Amino acid sequence: MKSPARQNRYRLLVVIGSLFLMVISAGALFSIYIEHKIEENIQLLHGKFSSIRVNLFTRTITGTDLEWSSDSTSINPNPHFLRLRAVTAEGISLYELVVSKTLFIKSVVIDSGTVQYIKNLKQNGQKISNSEFKHFRFKNISINHIQWCIKTDTIESYSGVLNGHIGEGSIFID
């Protein structure tokens, strides 16, 4: 027969193990929920990607093969576009996200892509849906091998390859 102290230790171990499994399961399910919300928001902005991975335990979001293009017009069917091979955001502060509606990220890495912008397009007055987050803060942004091009109509005005590092910044959206 087991002693009462041994039975209590066994019960405590079972309770702690059960709580641990519940936290892991809840984290995995919430990560899937966040992935679907990110997917919905990117599609609302006329974007697409091959995969988005959210890890709440490491507070990391990784997206691969991200593409965005502006709305088609009858004059120019694909005026602005962005294509990135990989984007990784690490060290997302969940506390600031929930409490102060500030998106704080320690490190963003943007790796390999293409950006094209056409300068002379008329603004059609379309408004992009407002985000509930009005403040973005970051510690580091690394940009690796982004080919960019600015055009006037169909004539290339400027182009180049962008590599760089931006340290600590803050952006307010009004």
Side-chain angles (χ1 to χ4, degrees), residues 17-33:
S18 298
L19 287 173
F20 179 74
L21 288 175
M22 286 175 30
V23 166
I24 296 291
S25 299
L29 290 174
F30 194 58
S31 292
I32 292 169
Y33 170 77

Side-chain angles (χ1 to χ4, degrees), residues 153-169:
D153 287 325
T154 58
I155 300 169
E156 191 172 296
S157 301
Y158 306 99
S159 65
V161 175
L162 183 61
N163 290 296
H165 180 82
I166 302 169
E168 201 154 340

Side-chain angles (χ1 to χ4, degrees), residues 10-174:
Y10 177 74
R11 288 180 185 152
L12 182 63
L13 184 62
V14 168
V15 168
I16 290 172
S18 298
L19 287 173
F20 179 74
L21 288 175
M22 286 175 30
V23 166
I24 296 291
S25 299
L29 290 174
F30 194 58
S31 292
I32 292 169
Y33 170 77
I34 291 172
E35 288 171 7
H36 288 293
K37 292 302 277 182
I38 291 171
E39 179 180 351
E40 287 175 7
N41 285 325
I42 288 175
Q43 288 175 351
L44 283 174
L45 296 171
H46 309 287
K48 61 183 179 178
F49 55 90
S50 65
S51 73
I52 293 278
R53 295 286 168 243
V54 175
N55 186 329
L56 290 178
F57 298 110
T58 61
R59 299 174 326 207
T60 302
I61 298 174
T62 303
T64 56
D65 299 324
L66 179 65
E67 290 185 26
W68 171 84
S69 60
S70 61
D71 286 339
S72 298
T73 64
S74 59
I75 297 170
N76 194 342
N78 198 13
H80 313 306
F81 73 88
L82 167 75
R83 193 174 298 129
L84 302 173
R85 186 179 62 79
V87 177
T88 303
E90 298 176 331
I92 299 167
S93 173
L94 299 175
Y95 175 78
E96 287 204 36
L97 191 64
V98 173
V99 173
S100 64
K101 300 289 186 193
T102 297
L103 182 58
F104 175 72
I105 302 172
K106 283 188 180 174
S107 174
V108 178
V109 177
I110 302 169
D111 191 25
S112 299
T114 305
V115 176
Q116 178 176 296
Y117 178 75
I118 297 180
K119 293 191 318 185
N120 65 334
L121 291 177
K122 296 177 185 176
Q123 297 296 323
N124 62 2
Q126 181 180 1
K127 185 177 181 183
I128 295 175
S129 61
N130 288 333
S131 171
E132 61 184 277
F133 305 107
K134 303 293 183 199
H135 187 198
F136 300 95
R137 290 182 35 220
F138 57 89
K139 287 281 186 190
N140 297 300
I141 295 180
S142 293
I143 300 169
N144 305 317
H145 196 74
I146 303 296
Q147 295 178 355
W148 59 273
C149 176
I150 298 174
K151 291 184 174 185
T152 304
D153 287 325
T154 58
I155 300 169
E156 191 172 296
S157 301
Y158 306 99
S159 65
V161 175
L162 183 61
N163 290 296
H165 180 82
I166 302 169
E168 201 154 340
S170 184
I171 300 169
F172 289 93
I173 307 296
D174 58 6

